[in-house]
Amino acid sequence: MLQDTVRTDAYRDFIYDNKHLFAGKVVLDVGCGTGILSLFCAKAGAAKVIAVDNSAIIEKAREIVFENELGDTIQCLRGKVEEVTLPVKKVDIIISEWMGYCLLYEAMLDSVIWARNRYLDSNGLMIPSHATLQLSLFADDEYISDKITFWNSVYGFKMSCMRAKSYDDIVIRTVNTDAVPSRSATFLELPLHTVQKDDLTITAADFGLTATQDVDQLHGFVIHFNIFFTTGRDKKVSDAANSFTTGPSGSETHWQQALALIDTSKSGTVTMKAGERVQGMIALRKGNEYFRELEISIQWQATDAQSSEKASMVMRRQTWLMR
């Protein structure tokens, strides 16, 4: 996190620009790592910061706290937030950098929600306050040539096994904006003050994406997330005092983007003209075998923007795993 300046700066700037929210308050930092967020909160005037982490990094966090002479303000606890005993009954603020790849992969959001339900005061603040998942189109002939069709003939030999699972697994990579021929669409919004664990499973979220340019062949979908910081429980995303994106149009982050490649051998090829749309539904849930996995299913069809019809319109469906 420390070297990812996009996310660290976003937290720091929100905290330092809104010190009045932290002055004299009790803060819980869930999954504190080295304790950088706790340090920010203490410097912003928090009366007490409780930093919790279940890994050995908490020992380093404790050293860092005392090295910076903040031991009277920050208390470090090792263990799961669901299992440790906090020195207070309620906290005024819960802060956490809980996000994983594709937002929810190996994320700590379940623990953050538990901590909120158990410890956050009824007028308390969640930082960050909102998260959204975004979907956009992907078309990149060069990427497909390098990663997929290259293995069809390597010095005259077939090596198709080298691209095994290319169409089954989500790929984490940085996607160039030139490979995204659409604007992104929000398919999930998580208001962190009220979201519950059951809300993290999406059975069928509608989406519509309009091609901003001609596409010789649609190769897949790109998923990224946006994070928002608001100054009150009743605030909306549009009221955010600070935010950052992990999308192709933003500065690169540790999370990059999630790429779901279309298996054209099963679904056929899709060509699009600027103005035509891809419409469908997306489902997202935790994996059957491992709860930290994600299973993403997309059902889609291409339609003409003017008539909502297309001669070759076919409903397609594909499922990917993030493991």
Side-chain angles (χ1 to χ4, degrees):
M1 177 180 180
L2 298 178
Q3 293 180 330
D4 191 334
T5 57
V6 172
R7 56 181 175 177
T8 307
D9 287 0
Y11 279 89
R12 180 203 60 194
D13 292 349
F14 176 79
I15 294 168
Y16 286 177
D17 289 345
N18 296 279
K19 290 183 178 180
H20 63 284
L21 297 176
F22 297 84
K25 299 299 177 61
V26 179
V27 180
L28 172 60
D29 182 357
V30 180
C32 66
T34 58
I36 186 64
L37 300 185
S38 294
L39 297 172
F40 290 155
C41 293
K43 283 294 188 181
K48 186 173 189 61
V49 182
I50 305 159
V52 179
D53 203 290
N54 193 37
S55 71
I57 192 66
I58 194 71
E59 304 304 330
K60 295 296 184 183
R62 187 174 287 111
E63 291 183 35
I64 291 169
V65 166
F66 282 98
E67 184 178 9
N68 288 277
E69 300 180 348
L70 291 170
D72 291 339
T73 302
I74 303 174
Q75 179 178 355
C76 296
L77 300 177
R78 181 170 185 177
K80 297 179 180 179
V81 72
E82 296 92 338
E83 297 175 357
V84 298
T85 300
L86 299 193
V88 297
K89 292 184 178 180
K90 292 291 180 180
V91 300
D92 302 299
I93 297 172
I94 292 180
I95 192 168
S96 179
E97 194 278 279
W98 53 265
M99 299 78 75
Y101 293 111
C102 204
L103 188 63
L104 299 177
Y105 177 73
E106 291 191 338
M108 296 187 301
L109 186 52
D110 285 9
S111 294
V112 172
I113 291 173
W114 186 93
R116 182 203 66 199
N117 293 344
R118 171 65 178 82
Y119 291 114
L120 189 63
D121 183 80
S122 59
N123 294 315
L125 187 64
M126 295 292 294
I127 302 174
S129 59
H130 298 78
T132 63
L133 270 168
Q134 311 286 134
L135 186 70
S136 51
L137 301 178
F138 175 75
D140 189 337
D141 292 334
E142 184 177 352
Y143 178 82
I144 296 300
S145 176
D146 290 345
K147 303 297 183 181
I148 305 296
T149 57
F150 171 80
W151 301 109
N152 291 344
S153 178
V154 182
Y155 290 96
F157 298 97
K158 297 178 181 179
M159 298 187 180
S160 58
C161 63
M162 296 300 295
R163 63 168 186 258
K165 296 188 180 298
S166 294
Y167 297 114
D168 300 326
D169 290 347
I170 293 291
V171 179
I172 299 299
R173 71 183 301 267
T174 297
V175 177
N176 192 293
T177 54
D178 293 340
V180 183
S182 73
R183 294 183 177 180
S184 67
T186 302
F187 68 89
L188 177 66
E189 180 175 332
L190 299 178
L192 275 302
H193 288 98
T194 58
V195 68
Q196 299 296 338
K197 287 174 62 175
D198 290 346
D199 300 326
L200 306 184
T201 297
I202 312 168
T203 56
D206 294 331
F207 69 86
L209 301 168
T210 301
T212 54
Q213 63 191 57
D214 292 351
V215 177
D216 291 335
Q217 183 174 334
L218 181 64
H219 294 129
F221 299 93
V222 179
I223 301 172
H224 75 270
F225 62 87
N226 298 332
I227 297 296
F228 302 88
F229 302 80
T230 63
T231 58
R233 295 178 60 89
D234 58 342
K235 302 290 186 180
K236 301 178 181 179
V237 165
S238 58
D239 301 319
N242 205 351
S243 64
F244 69 85
T245 181
T246 64
S249 62
S251 299
E252 185 174 349
T253 70
H254 158 75
W255 294 287
Q256 300 176 289
Q257 292 89 45
L259 178 59
L261 291 177
I262 294 171
D263 187 351
T264 55
S265 67
K266 296 179 180 179
S267 65
T269 60
V270 175
T271 60
M272 301 181 69
K273 296 291 185 181
E276 292 182 342
R277 288 174 59 80
V278 170
Q279 298 180 162
M281 295 182 295
I282 182 168
L284 184 150
R285 67 180 181 84
K286 293 181 179 180
N288 289 325
E289 296 185 24
Y290 302 102
F291 78 96
R292 291 201 169 192
E293 289 184 347
L294 287 181
E295 181 180 290
I296 299 172
S297 296
I298 301 178
Q299 181 176 296
W300 75 95
Q301 62 184 5
T303 62
D304 184 275
Q306 301 300 321
S307 65
S308 298
E309 295 182 358
K310 189 172 181 178
S312 59
M313 186 172 65
V314 176
M315 183 64 73
R316 298 166 169 86
R317 181 185 178 88
Q318 189 171 330
T319 298
W320 299 263
L321 282 178
M322 196 166 184
R323 48 192 165 188

